[in-house]
Amino acid sequence: MSSNDALLKHVSIAAKESTLVARFDIEGNIPGSGAFVVGLMAATPDYSHQRRLGIEFMNGEAVSMYFFNHDETEETFDISNVEHSGNTITGNFPVSTVFGLGKGHLMSGFSEADGREYQSGVPVEESL
């Protein structure tokens, strides 16, 4: 990715009824070619249970919204649950995707470009 491509600046989540609103603020632009993903990694304190929530873009357009549980559960969600305006990407996931992690859970933001990790460990502001 070049220096004008997306750099994840801030990640926040908030629970609104049965929805987990994940907001990703980026600096730069979503790449106009190739694959780009923003997402959350959530885990129990010992990492024995992990989950990944992601929004994938292909050639600058949102194409997939997914949940993957390392206990082998996968689910995709309707892409209409993704909003992209300027430098903000918002995904509306079911709040159940993060239930059961308990107190002291770990959560961080990440991004990937063309299948390779671009950023990881981005702090997440939580309002659950």
Side-chain angles (χ1 to χ4, degrees), residues 53-94:
L53 291 79
I55 300 169
E56 181 176 7
F57 291 82
M58 184 62 68
N59 301 328
E61 299 293 324
V63 295
S64 177
M65 181 176 172
Y66 65 87
F67 162 76
F68 176 76
N69 182 328
H70 284 218
D71 296 326
E72 300 191 21
T73 301
E74 288 184 57
E75 191 169 349
T76 57
F77 304 108
D78 191 317
I79 199 68
S80 68
N81 291 311
V82 174
E83 299 169 19
H84 174 227
S85 176
N87 294 79
T88 301
I89 301 163
T90 305
N92 297 299
F93 294 88

PDB file of all heavy atoms in Angstrom, residues 53-94:
ATOM      1  N   LEU A  53     -14.118  -9.951  13.631  1.00  0.00           N
ATOM      2  CA  LEU A  53     -15.199  -9.305  12.918  1.00  0.00           C
ATOM      3  C   LEU A  53     -14.542  -8.437  11.859  1.00  0.00           C
ATOM      4  O   LEU A  53     -13.590  -7.702  12.172  1.00  0.00           O
ATOM      5  CB  LEU A  53     -16.019  -8.416  13.853  1.00  0.00           C
ATOM      6  CG  LEU A  53     -16.861  -9.117  14.925  1.00  0.00           C
ATOM      7  CD1 LEU A  53     -16.007  -9.548  16.082  1.00  0.00           C
ATOM      8  CD2 LEU A  53     -17.951  -8.205  15.406  1.00  0.00           C
ATOM      9  N   GLY A  54     -14.987  -8.520  10.627  1.00  0.00           N
ATOM     10  CA  GLY A  54     -14.315  -7.773   9.580  1.00  0.00           C
ATOM     11  C   GLY A  54     -15.242  -7.237   8.510  1.00  0.00           C
ATOM     12  O   GLY A  54     -16.350  -7.729   8.310  1.00  0.00           O
ATOM     13  N   ILE A  55     -14.731  -6.203   7.850  1.00  0.00           N
ATOM     14  CA  ILE A  55     -15.391  -5.609   6.692  1.00  0.00           C
ATOM     15  C   ILE A  55     -14.353  -5.584   5.578  1.00  0.00           C
ATOM     16  O   ILE A  55     -13.275  -5.008   5.736  1.00  0.00           O
ATOM     17  CB  ILE A  55     -15.884  -4.184   6.993  1.00  0.00           C
ATOM     18  CG1 ILE A  55     -16.885  -4.206   8.165  1.00  0.00           C
ATOM     19  CG2 ILE A  55     -16.518  -3.562   5.741  1.00  0.00           C
ATOM     20  CD1 ILE A  55     -17.212  -2.824   8.709  1.00  0.00           C
ATOM     21  N   GLU A  56     -14.674  -6.234   4.470  1.00  0.00           N
ATOM     22  CA  GLU A  56     -13.724  -6.340   3.366  1.00  0.00           C
ATOM     23  C   GLU A  56     -14.149  -5.448   2.197  1.00  0.00           C
ATOM     24  O   GLU A  56     -15.319  -5.413   1.829  1.00  0.00           O
ATOM     25  CB  GLU A  56     -13.619  -7.783   2.880  1.00  0.00           C
ATOM     26  CG  GLU A  56     -12.623  -7.944   1.762  1.00  0.00           C
ATOM     27  CD  GLU A  56     -12.438  -9.380   1.331  1.00  0.00           C
ATOM     28  OE1 GLU A  56     -13.180 -10.265   1.797  1.00  0.00           O
ATOM     29  OE2 GLU A  56     -11.546  -9.623   0.500  1.00  0.00           O
ATOM     30  N   PHE A  57     -13.168  -4.772   1.647  1.00  0.00           N
ATOM     31  CA  PHE A  57     -13.347  -3.944   0.456  1.00  0.00           C
ATOM     32  C   PHE A  57     -12.545  -4.570  -0.675  1.00  0.00           C
ATOM     33  O   PHE A  57     -11.452  -5.088  -0.458  1.00  0.00           O
ATOM     34  CB  PHE A  57     -12.835  -2.519   0.705  1.00  0.00           C
ATOM     35  CG  PHE A  57     -13.672  -1.752   1.686  1.00  0.00           C
ATOM     36  CD1 PHE A  57     -13.488  -1.929   3.050  1.00  0.00           C
ATOM     37  CD2 PHE A  57     -14.636  -0.859   1.252  1.00  0.00           C
ATOM     38  CE1 PHE A  57     -14.253  -1.237   3.968  1.00  0.00           C
ATOM     39  CE2 PHE A  57     -15.413  -0.165   2.165  1.00  0.00           C
ATOM     40  CZ  PHE A  57     -15.226  -0.344   3.524  1.00  0.00           C
ATOM     41  N   MET A  58     -13.085  -4.515  -1.871  1.00  0.00           N
ATOM     42  CA  MET A  58     -12.376  -4.965  -3.059  1.00  0.00           C
ATOM     43  C   MET A  58     -12.454  -3.828  -4.070  1.00  0.00           C
ATOM     44  O   MET A  58     -13.564  -3.362  -4.385  1.00  0.00           O
ATOM     45  CB  MET A  58     -13.008  -6.241  -3.626  1.00  0.00           C
ATOM     46  CG  MET A  58     -12.246  -6.810  -4.808  1.00  0.00           C
ATOM     47  SD  MET A  58     -10.563  -7.321  -4.427  1.00  0.00           S
ATOM     48  CE  MET A  58     -10.845  -8.713  -3.380  1.00  0.00           C
ATOM     49  N   ASN A  59     -11.303  -3.366  -4.516  1.00  0.00           N
ATOM     50  CA  ASN A  59     -11.238  -2.258  -5.479  1.00  0.00           C
ATOM     51  C   ASN A  59     -12.040  -1.041  -5.005  1.00  0.00           C
ATOM     52  O   ASN A  59     -12.736  -0.395  -5.775  1.00  0.00           O
ATOM     53  CB  ASN A  59     -11.691  -2.711  -6.865  1.00  0.00           C
ATOM     54  CG  ASN A  59     -10.830  -3.832  -7.379  1.00  0.00           C
ATOM     55  OD1 ASN A  59      -9.641  -3.905  -7.080  1.00  0.00           O
ATOM     56  ND2 ASN A  59     -11.428  -4.738  -8.140  1.00  0.00           N
ATOM     57  N   GLY A  60     -11.954  -0.769  -3.695  1.00  0.00           N
ATOM     58  CA  GLY A  60     -12.579   0.415  -3.114  1.00  0.00           C
ATOM     59  C   GLY A  60     -14.030   0.274  -2.708  1.00  0.00           C
ATOM     60  O   GLY A  60     -14.599   1.185  -2.122  1.00  0.00           O
ATOM     61  N   GLU A  61     -14.663  -0.867  -2.973  1.00  0.00           N
ATOM     62  CA  GLU A  61     -16.080  -1.078  -2.659  1.00  0.00           C
ATOM     63  C   GLU A  61     -16.245  -2.156  -1.596  1.00  0.00           C
ATOM     64  O   GLU A  61     -15.579  -3.200  -1.664  1.00  0.00           O
ATOM     65  CB  GLU A  61     -16.857  -1.501  -3.912  1.00  0.00           C
ATOM     66  CG  GLU A  61     -16.837  -0.487  -5.021  1.00  0.00           C
ATOM     67  CD  GLU A  61     -17.579   0.788  -4.676  1.00  0.00           C
ATOM     68  OE1 GLU A  61     -18.624   0.714  -3.981  1.00  0.00           O
ATOM     69  OE2 GLU A  61     -17.121   1.863  -5.090  1.00  0.00           O
ATOM     70  N   ALA A  62     -17.139  -1.929  -0.631  1.00  0.00           N
ATOM     71  CA  ALA A  62     -17.423  -2.937   0.401  1.00  0.00           C
ATOM     72  C   ALA A  62     -18.057  -4.158  -0.258  1.00  0.00           C
ATOM     73  O   ALA A  62     -19.010  -4.027  -1.031  1.00  0.00           O
ATOM     74  CB  ALA A  62     -18.355  -2.365   1.463  1.00  0.00           C
ATOM     75  N   VAL A  63     -17.491  -5.340   0.006  1.00  0.00           N
ATOM     76  CA  VAL A  63     -17.999  -6.562  -0.621  1.00  0.00           C
ATOM     77  C   VAL A  63     -18.382  -7.637   0.395  1.00  0.00           C
ATOM     78  O   VAL A  63     -19.092  -8.574   0.047  1.00  0.00           O
ATOM     79  CB  VAL A  63     -16.997  -7.170  -1.629  1.00  0.00           C
ATOM     80  CG1 VAL A  63     -16.783  -6.230  -2.803  1.00  0.00           C
ATOM     81  CG2 VAL A  63     -15.679  -7.527  -0.972  1.00  0.00           C
ATOM     82  N   SER A  64     -17.908  -7.519   1.645  1.00  0.00           N
ATOM     83  CA  SER A  64     -18.176  -8.584   2.603  1.00  0.00           C
ATOM     84  C   SER A  64     -18.107  -8.046   4.025  1.00  0.00           C
ATOM     85  O   SER A  64     -17.291  -7.180   4.332  1.00  0.00           O
ATOM     86  CB  SER A  64     -17.146  -9.707   2.432  1.00  0.00           C
ATOM     87  OG  SER A  64     -17.337 -10.717   3.381  1.00  0.00           O
ATOM     88  N   MET A  65     -18.953  -8.596   4.863  1.00  0.00           N
ATOM     89  CA  MET A  65     -18.967  -8.302   6.298  1.00  0.00           C
ATOM     90  C   MET A  65     -19.100  -9.648   6.981  1.00  0.00           C
ATOM     91  O   MET A  65     -20.006 -10.410   6.677  1.00  0.00           O
ATOM     92  CB  MET A  65     -20.145  -7.398   6.621  1.00  0.00           C
ATOM     93  CG  MET A  65     -20.249  -7.003   8.055  1.00  0.00           C
ATOM     94  SD  MET A  65     -21.614  -5.839   8.227  1.00  0.00           S
ATOM     95  CE  MET A  65     -21.673  -5.721   9.984  1.00  0.00           C
ATOM     96  N   TYR A  66     -18.184  -9.962   7.902  1.00  0.00           N
ATOM     97  CA  TYR A  66     -18.150 -11.319   8.428  1.00  0.00           C
ATOM     98  C   TYR A  66     -17.795 -11.383   9.913  1.00  0.00           C
ATOM     99  O   TYR A  66     -17.285 -10.437  10.498  1.00  0.00           O
ATOM    100  CB  TYR A  66     -17.157 -12.164   7.631  1.00  0.00           C
ATOM    101  CG  TYR A  66     -15.720 -11.696   7.791  1.00  0.00           C
ATOM    102  CD1 TYR A  66     -14.920 -12.146   8.845  1.00  0.00           C
ATOM    103  CD2 TYR A  66     -15.165 -10.791   6.901  1.00  0.00           C
ATOM    104  CE1 TYR A  66     -13.620 -11.701   9.000  1.00  0.00           C
ATOM    105  CE2 TYR A  66     -13.863 -10.355   7.047  1.00  0.00           C
ATOM    106  CZ  TYR A  66     -13.090 -10.813   8.099  1.00  0.00           C
ATOM    107  OH  TYR A  66     -11.813 -10.360   8.256  1.00  0.00           O
ATOM    108  N   PHE A  67     -18.050 -12.558  10.464  1.00  0.00           N
ATOM    109  CA  PHE A  67     -17.703 -12.908  11.837  1.00  0.00           C
ATOM    110  C   PHE A  67     -17.080 -14.295  11.782  1.00  0.00           C
ATOM    111  O   PHE A  67     -17.596 -15.181  11.116  1.00  0.00           O
ATOM    112  CB  PHE A  67     -18.975 -12.935  12.694  1.00  0.00           C
ATOM    113  CG  PHE A  67     -18.840 -13.676  13.994  1.00  0.00           C
ATOM    114  CD1 PHE A  67     -18.176 -13.098  15.069  1.00  0.00           C
ATOM    115  CD2 PHE A  67     -19.386 -14.932  14.144  1.00  0.00           C
ATOM    116  CE1 PHE A  67     -18.065 -13.786  16.267  1.00  0.00           C
ATOM    117  CE2 PHE A  67     -19.278 -15.620  15.341  1.00  0.00           C
ATOM    118  CZ  PHE A  67     -18.608 -15.040  16.408  1.00  0.00           C
ATOM    119  N   PHE A  68     -15.956 -14.446  12.463  1.00  0.00           N
ATOM    120  CA  PHE A  68     -15.295 -15.742  12.531  1.00  0.00           C
ATOM    121  C   PHE A  68     -14.931 -15.993  13.980  1.00  0.00           C
ATOM    122  O   PHE A  68     -14.291 -15.164  14.623  1.00  0.00           O
ATOM    123  CB  PHE A  68     -14.038 -15.751  11.659  1.00  0.00           C
ATOM    124  CG  PHE A  68     -13.253 -17.030  11.766  1.00  0.00           C
ATOM    125  CD1 PHE A  68     -13.680 -18.181  11.129  1.00  0.00           C
ATOM    126  CD2 PHE A  68     -12.094 -17.091  12.520  1.00  0.00           C
ATOM    127  CE1 PHE A  68     -12.965 -19.368  11.231  1.00  0.00           C
ATOM    128  CE2 PHE A  68     -11.371 -18.265  12.629  1.00  0.00           C
ATOM    129  CZ  PHE A  68     -11.804 -19.405  11.984  1.00  0.00           C
ATOM    130  N   ASN A  69     -15.372 -17.125  14.503  1.00  0.00           N
ATOM    131  CA  ASN A  69     -15.082 -17.516  15.870  1.00  0.00           C
ATOM    132  C   ASN A  69     -14.056 -18.643  15.793  1.00  0.00           C
ATOM    133  O   ASN A  69     -14.252 -19.605  15.064  1.00  0.00           O
ATOM    134  CB  ASN A  69     -16.386 -18.020  16.512  1.00  0.00           C
ATOM    135  CG  ASN A  69     -16.232 -18.421  17.932  1.00  0.00           C
ATOM    136  OD1 ASN A  69     -15.189 -18.901  18.364  1.00  0.00           O
ATOM    137  ND2 ASN A  69     -17.309 -18.264  18.686  1.00  0.00           N
ATOM    138  N   HIS A  70     -12.974 -18.541  16.530  1.00  0.00           N
ATOM    139  CA  HIS A  70     -11.931 -19.571  16.453  1.00  0.00           C
ATOM    140  C   HIS A  70     -12.402 -20.920  16.998  1.00  0.00           C
ATOM    141  O   HIS A  70     -11.672 -21.896  16.915  1.00  0.00           O
ATOM    142  CB  HIS A  70     -10.655 -19.083  17.158  1.00  0.00           C
ATOM    143  CG  HIS A  70      -9.920 -18.085  16.326  1.00  0.00           C
ATOM    144  ND1 HIS A  70      -8.570 -18.032  16.237  1.00  0.00           N
ATOM    145  CD2 HIS A  70     -10.362 -17.099  15.503  1.00  0.00           C
ATOM    146  CE1 HIS A  70      -8.199 -17.072  15.436  1.00  0.00           C
ATOM    147  NE2 HIS A  70      -9.282 -16.483  14.978  1.00  0.00           N
ATOM    148  N   ASP A  71     -13.633 -20.960  17.520  1.00  0.00           N
ATOM    149  CA  ASP A  71     -14.244 -22.233  17.873  1.00  0.00           C
ATOM    150  C   ASP A  71     -14.952 -22.810  16.648  1.00  0.00           C
ATOM    151  O   ASP A  71     -15.789 -23.685  16.759  1.00  0.00           O
ATOM    152  CB  ASP A  71     -15.228 -22.059  19.035  1.00  0.00           C
ATOM    153  CG  ASP A  71     -14.533 -21.625  20.302  1.00  0.00           C
ATOM    154  OD1 ASP A  71     -13.381 -22.046  20.530  1.00  0.00           O
ATOM    155  OD2 ASP A  71     -15.131 -20.853  21.067  1.00  0.00           O
ATOM    156  N   GLU A  72     -14.663 -22.259  15.469  1.00  0.00           N
ATOM    157  CA  GLU A  72     -15.081 -22.750  14.166  1.00  0.00           C
ATOM    158  C   GLU A  72     -16.483 -22.366  13.728  1.00  0.00           C
ATOM    159  O   GLU A  72     -17.119 -23.066  12.970  1.00  0.00           O
ATOM    160  CB  GLU A  72     -14.867 -24.261  14.055  1.00  0.00           C
ATOM    161  CG  GLU A  72     -13.416 -24.626  14.243  1.00  0.00           C
ATOM    162  CD  GLU A  72     -13.117 -26.053  13.872  1.00  0.00           C
ATOM    163  OE1 GLU A  72     -13.881 -26.664  13.127  1.00  0.00           O
ATOM    164  OE2 GLU A  72     -12.079 -26.537  14.339  1.00  0.00           O
ATOM    165  N   THR A  73     -16.945 -21.208  14.167  1.00  0.00           N
ATOM    166  CA  THR A  73     -18.210 -20.683  13.691  1.00  0.00           C
ATOM    167  C   THR A  73     -17.911 -19.524  12.753  1.00  0.00           C
ATOM    168  O   THR A  73     -17.108 -18.658  13.067  1.00  0.00           O
ATOM    169  CB  THR A  73     -19.069 -20.160  14.867  1.00  0.00           C
ATOM    170  OG1 THR A  73     -19.305 -21.215  15.769  1.00  0.00           O
ATOM    171  CG2 THR A  73     -20.385 -19.598  14.379  1.00  0.00           C
ATOM    172  N   GLU A  74     -18.537 -19.538  11.592  1.00  0.00           N
ATOM    173  CA  GLU A  74     -18.389 -18.442  10.636  1.00  0.00           C
ATOM    174  C   GLU A  74     -19.764 -17.945  10.245  1.00  0.00           C
ATOM    175  O   GLU A  74     -20.706 -18.726  10.154  1.00  0.00           O
ATOM    176  CB  GLU A  74     -17.695 -18.906   9.362  1.00  0.00           C
ATOM    177  CG  GLU A  74     -16.237 -19.178   9.501  1.00  0.00           C
ATOM    178  CD  GLU A  74     -15.620 -19.532   8.160  1.00  0.00           C
ATOM    179  OE1 GLU A  74     -15.723 -18.716   7.223  1.00  0.00           O
ATOM    180  OE2 GLU A  74     -15.062 -20.623   8.073  1.00  0.00           O
ATOM    181  N   GLU A  75     -19.853 -16.653  10.011  1.00  0.00           N
ATOM    182  CA  GLU A  75     -21.118 -16.098   9.566  1.00  0.00           C
ATOM    183  C   GLU A  75     -20.827 -14.858   8.736  1.00  0.00           C
ATOM    184  O   GLU A  75     -19.919 -14.091   9.045  1.00  0.00           O
ATOM    185  CB  GLU A  75     -21.986 -15.727  10.766  1.00  0.00           C
ATOM    186  CG  GLU A  75     -23.396 -15.401  10.417  1.00  0.00           C
ATOM    187  CD  GLU A  75     -24.305 -15.288  11.638  1.00  0.00           C
ATOM    188  OE1 GLU A  75     -23.897 -15.658  12.749  1.00  0.00           O
ATOM    189  OE2 GLU A  75     -25.427 -14.803  11.441  1.00  0.00           O
ATOM    190  N   THR A  76     -21.582 -14.672   7.670  1.00  0.00           N
ATOM    191  CA  THR A  76     -21.492 -13.445   6.889  1.00  0.00           C
ATOM    192  C   THR A  76     -22.783 -12.670   7.088  1.00  0.00           C
ATOM    193  O   THR A  76     -23.840 -13.263   7.367  1.00  0.00           O
ATOM    194  CB  THR A  76     -21.271 -13.718   5.389  1.00  0.00           C
ATOM    195  OG1 THR A  76     -22.326 -14.544   4.912  1.00  0.00           O
ATOM    196  CG2 THR A  76     -19.928 -14.382   5.146  1.00  0.00           C
ATOM    197  N   PHE A  77     -22.683 -11.368   6.966  1.00  0.00           N
ATOM    198  CA  PHE A  77     -23.830 -10.499   7.189  1.00  0.00           C
ATOM    199  C   PHE A  77     -24.085  -9.675   5.938  1.00  0.00           C
ATOM    200  O   PHE A  77     -23.195  -9.477   5.104  1.00  0.00           O
ATOM    201  CB  PHE A  77     -23.569  -9.568   8.383  1.00  0.00           C
ATOM    202  CG  PHE A  77     -23.213 -10.309   9.641  1.00  0.00           C
ATOM    203  CD1 PHE A  77     -21.920 -10.288  10.126  1.00  0.00           C
ATOM    204  CD2 PHE A  77     -24.157 -11.048  10.328  1.00  0.00           C
ATOM    205  CE1 PHE A  77     -21.573 -10.982  11.277  1.00  0.00           C
ATOM    206  CE2 PHE A  77     -23.827 -11.751  11.471  1.00  0.00           C
ATOM    207  CZ  PHE A  77     -22.529 -11.709  11.950  1.00  0.00           C
ATOM    208  N   ASP A  78     -25.305  -9.191   5.836  1.00  0.00           N
ATOM    209  CA  ASP A  78     -25.713  -8.379   4.697  1.00  0.00           C
ATOM    210  C   ASP A  78     -24.828  -7.135   4.604  1.00  0.00           C
ATOM    211  O   ASP A  78     -24.661  -6.406   5.589  1.00  0.00           O
ATOM    212  CB  ASP A  78     -27.182  -7.980   4.866  1.00  0.00           C
ATOM    213  CG  ASP A  78     -27.763  -7.373   3.618  1.00  0.00           C
ATOM    214  OD1 ASP A  78     -27.090  -6.534   2.974  1.00  0.00           O
ATOM    215  OD2 ASP A  78     -28.902  -7.719   3.284  1.00  0.00           O
ATOM    216  N   ILE A  79     -24.286  -6.890   3.447  1.00  0.00           N
ATOM    217  CA  ILE A  79     -23.382  -5.766   3.222  1.00  0.00           C
ATOM    218  C   ILE A  79     -24.083  -4.426   3.434  1.00  0.00           C
ATOM    219  O   ILE A  79     -23.426  -3.397   3.629  1.00  0.00           O
ATOM    220  CB  ILE A  79     -22.732  -5.880   1.816  1.00  0.00           C
ATOM    221  CG1 ILE A  79     -21.474  -5.025   1.746  1.00  0.00           C
ATOM    222  CG2 ILE A  79     -23.697  -5.532   0.733  1.00  0.00           C
ATOM    223  CD1 ILE A  79     -20.368  -5.512   2.586  1.00  0.00           C
ATOM    224  N   SER A  80     -25.405  -4.418   3.452  1.00  0.00           N
ATOM    225  CA  SER A  80     -26.132  -3.168   3.715  1.00  0.00           C
ATOM    226  C   SER A  80     -25.902  -2.682   5.149  1.00  0.00           C
ATOM    227  O   SER A  80     -26.256  -1.558   5.486  1.00  0.00           O
ATOM    228  CB  SER A  80     -27.630  -3.334   3.442  1.00  0.00           C
ATOM    229  OG  SER A  80     -28.207  -4.212   4.390  1.00  0.00           O
ATOM    230  N   ASN A  81     -25.295  -3.523   5.997  1.00  0.00           N
ATOM    231  CA  ASN A  81     -24.964  -3.140   7.372  1.00  0.00           C
ATOM    232  C   ASN A  81     -23.654  -2.362   7.456  1.00  0.00           C
ATOM    233  O   ASN A  81     -23.174  -2.073   8.553  1.00  0.00           O
ATOM    234  CB  ASN A  81     -24.881  -4.376   8.267  1.00  0.00           C
ATOM    235  CG  ASN A  81     -26.233  -5.011   8.470  1.00  0.00           C
ATOM    236  OD1 ASN A  81     -27.195  -4.337   8.798  1.00  0.00           O
ATOM    237  ND2 ASN A  81     -26.313  -6.310   8.244  1.00  0.00           N
ATOM    238  N   VAL A  82     -23.055  -2.048   6.304  1.00  0.00           N
ATOM    239  CA  VAL A  82     -21.808  -1.285   6.250  1.00  0.00           C
ATOM    240  C   VAL A  82     -22.095   0.093   5.666  1.00  0.00           C
ATOM    241  O   VAL A  82     -22.786   0.221   4.663  1.00  0.00           O
ATOM    242  CB  VAL A  82     -20.758  -2.002   5.365  1.00  0.00           C
ATOM    243  CG1 VAL A  82     -19.515  -1.126   5.182  1.00  0.00           C
ATOM    244  CG2 VAL A  82     -20.387  -3.340   5.947  1.00  0.00           C
ATOM    245  N   GLU A  83     -21.554   1.108   6.329  1.00  0.00           N
ATOM    246  CA  GLU A  83     -21.638   2.470   5.820  1.00  0.00           C
ATOM    247  C   GLU A  83     -20.210   2.987   5.665  1.00  0.00           C
ATOM    248  O   GLU A  83     -19.373   2.758   6.534  1.00  0.00           O
ATOM    249  CB  GLU A  83     -22.395   3.372   6.799  1.00  0.00           C
ATOM    250  CG  GLU A  83     -23.825   2.951   7.047  1.00  0.00           C
ATOM    251  CD  GLU A  83     -24.456   3.706   8.204  1.00  0.00           C
ATOM    252  OE1 GLU A  83     -23.950   4.786   8.584  1.00  0.00           O
ATOM    253  OE2 GLU A  83     -25.441   3.198   8.751  1.00  0.00           O
ATOM    254  N   HIS A  84     -19.954   3.663   4.565  1.00  0.00           N
ATOM    255  CA  HIS A  84     -18.633   4.255   4.346  1.00  0.00           C
ATOM    256  C   HIS A  84     -18.852   5.688   3.895  1.00  0.00           C
ATOM    257  O   HIS A  84     -19.456   5.937   2.858  1.00  0.00           O
ATOM    258  CB  HIS A  84     -17.858   3.460   3.294  1.00  0.00           C
ATOM    259  CG  HIS A  84     -16.561   4.102   2.940  1.00  0.00           C
ATOM    260  ND1 HIS A  84     -16.171   4.260   1.650  1.00  0.00           N
ATOM    261  CD2 HIS A  84     -15.589   4.642   3.700  1.00  0.00           C
ATOM    262  CE1 HIS A  84     -14.997   4.857   1.626  1.00  0.00           C
ATOM    263  NE2 HIS A  84     -14.622   5.103   2.859  1.00  0.00           N
ATOM    264  N   SER A  85     -18.394   6.613   4.722  1.00  0.00           N
ATOM    265  CA  SER A  85     -18.549   8.024   4.409  1.00  0.00           C
ATOM    266  C   SER A  85     -17.252   8.736   4.736  1.00  0.00           C
ATOM    267  O   SER A  85     -16.816   8.742   5.889  1.00  0.00           O
ATOM    268  CB  SER A  85     -19.703   8.601   5.232  1.00  0.00           C
ATOM    269  OG  SER A  85     -19.816   9.986   5.005  1.00  0.00           O
ATOM    270  N   GLY A  86     -16.620   9.294   3.721  1.00  0.00           N
ATOM    271  CA  GLY A  86     -15.359  10.002   3.932  1.00  0.00           C
ATOM    272  C   GLY A  86     -14.312   9.078   4.526  1.00  0.00           C
ATOM    273  O   GLY A  86     -13.975   8.065   3.947  1.00  0.00           O
ATOM    274  N   ASN A  87     -13.839   9.416   5.709  1.00  0.00           N
ATOM    275  CA  ASN A  87     -12.793   8.645   6.368  1.00  0.00           C
ATOM    276  C   ASN A  87     -13.329   7.750   7.481  1.00  0.00           C
ATOM    277  O   ASN A  87     -12.560   7.334   8.352  1.00  0.00           O
ATOM    278  CB  ASN A  87     -11.728   9.601   6.924  1.00  0.00           C
ATOM    279  CG  ASN A  87     -11.010  10.321   5.809  1.00  0.00           C
ATOM    280  OD1 ASN A  87     -11.539  11.279   5.266  1.00  0.00           O
ATOM    281  ND2 ASN A  87      -9.841   9.853   5.440  1.00  0.00           N
ATOM    282  N   THR A  88     -14.617   7.455   7.449  1.00  0.00           N
ATOM    283  CA  THR A  88     -15.215   6.604   8.481  1.00  0.00           C
ATOM    284  C   THR A  88     -15.922   5.421   7.855  1.00  0.00           C
ATOM    285  O   THR A  88     -16.712   5.570   6.923  1.00  0.00           O
ATOM    286  CB  THR A  88     -16.218   7.414   9.337  1.00  0.00           C
ATOM    287  OG1 THR A  88     -15.530   8.514   9.935  1.00  0.00           O
ATOM    288  CG2 THR A  88     -16.834   6.555  10.428  1.00  0.00           C
ATOM    289  N   ILE A  89     -15.617   4.244   8.383  1.00  0.00           N
ATOM    290  CA  ILE A  89     -16.279   2.997   7.992  1.00  0.00           C
ATOM    291  C   ILE A  89     -17.035   2.516   9.218  1.00  0.00           C
ATOM    292  O   ILE A  89     -16.452   2.403  10.306  1.00  0.00           O
ATOM    293  CB  ILE A  89     -15.251   1.929   7.577  1.00  0.00           C
ATOM    294  CG1 ILE A  89     -14.400   2.425   6.415  1.00  0.00           C
ATOM    295  CG2 ILE A  89     -15.960   0.612   7.232  1.00  0.00           C
ATOM    296  CD1 ILE A  89     -13.129   1.623   6.208  1.00  0.00           C
ATOM    297  N   THR A  90     -18.322   2.239   9.070  1.00  0.00           N
ATOM    298  CA  THR A  90     -19.137   1.771  10.186  1.00  0.00           C
ATOM    299  C   THR A  90     -19.777   0.441   9.817  1.00  0.00           C
ATOM    300  O   THR A  90     -20.360   0.311   8.736  1.00  0.00           O
ATOM    301  CB  THR A  90     -20.245   2.789  10.532  1.00  0.00           C
ATOM    302  OG1 THR A  90     -19.634   4.059  10.787  1.00  0.00           O
ATOM    303  CG2 THR A  90     -21.037   2.345  11.752  1.00  0.00           C
ATOM    304  N   GLY A  91     -19.656  -0.533  10.707  1.00  0.00           N
ATOM    305  CA  GLY A  91     -20.292  -1.831  10.515  1.00  0.00           C
ATOM    306  C   GLY A  91     -21.237  -2.106  11.664  1.00  0.00           C
ATOM    307  O   GLY A  91     -20.894  -1.874  12.827  1.00  0.00           O
ATOM    308  N   ASN A  92     -22.431  -2.553  11.344  1.00  0.00           N
ATOM    309  CA  ASN A  92     -23.435  -2.895  12.348  1.00  0.00           C
ATOM    310  C   ASN A  92     -23.543  -4.413  12.445  1.00  0.00           C
ATOM    311  O   ASN A  92     -24.184  -5.053  11.624  1.00  0.00           O
ATOM    312  CB  ASN A  92     -24.784  -2.263  11.988  1.00  0.00           C
ATOM    313  CG  ASN A  92     -24.699  -0.749  11.997  1.00  0.00           C
ATOM    314  OD1 ASN A  92     -24.416  -0.142  13.011  1.00  0.00           O
ATOM    315  ND2 ASN A  92     -24.907  -0.145  10.847  1.00  0.00           N
ATOM    316  N   PHE A  93     -22.863  -4.979  13.449  1.00  0.00           N
ATOM    317  CA  PHE A  93     -22.825  -6.415  13.688  1.00  0.00           C
ATOM    318  C   PHE A  93     -23.845  -6.783  14.766  1.00  0.00           C
ATOM    319  O   PHE A  93     -24.170  -5.946  15.612  1.00  0.00           O
ATOM    320  CB  PHE A  93     -21.441  -6.826  14.208  1.00  0.00           C
ATOM    321  CG  PHE A  93     -20.322  -6.644  13.232  1.00  0.00           C
ATOM    322  CD1 PHE A  93     -19.639  -5.438  13.145  1.00  0.00           C
ATOM    323  CD2 PHE A  93     -19.930  -7.688  12.400  1.00  0.00           C
ATOM    324  CE1 PHE A  93     -18.595  -5.275  12.249  1.00  0.00           C
ATOM    325  CE2 PHE A  93     -18.885  -7.522  11.504  1.00  0.00           C
ATOM    326  CZ  PHE A  93     -18.222  -6.317  11.427  1.00  0.00           C
ATOM    327  N   PRO A  94     -24.301  -8.026  14.820  1.00  0.00           N
ATOM    328  CA  PRO A  94     -25.098  -8.461  15.961  1.00  0.00           C
ATOM    329  C   PRO A  94     -24.240  -8.372  17.232  1.00  0.00           C
ATOM    330  O   PRO A  94     -23.082  -8.789  17.222  1.00  0.00           O
ATOM    331  CB  PRO A  94     -25.453  -9.912  15.641  1.00  0.00           C
ATOM    332  CG  PRO A  94     -25.274 -10.040  14.165  1.00  0.00           C
ATOM    333  CD  PRO A  94     -24.179  -9.081  13.809  1.00  0.00           C
TER     334      PRO A  94
END
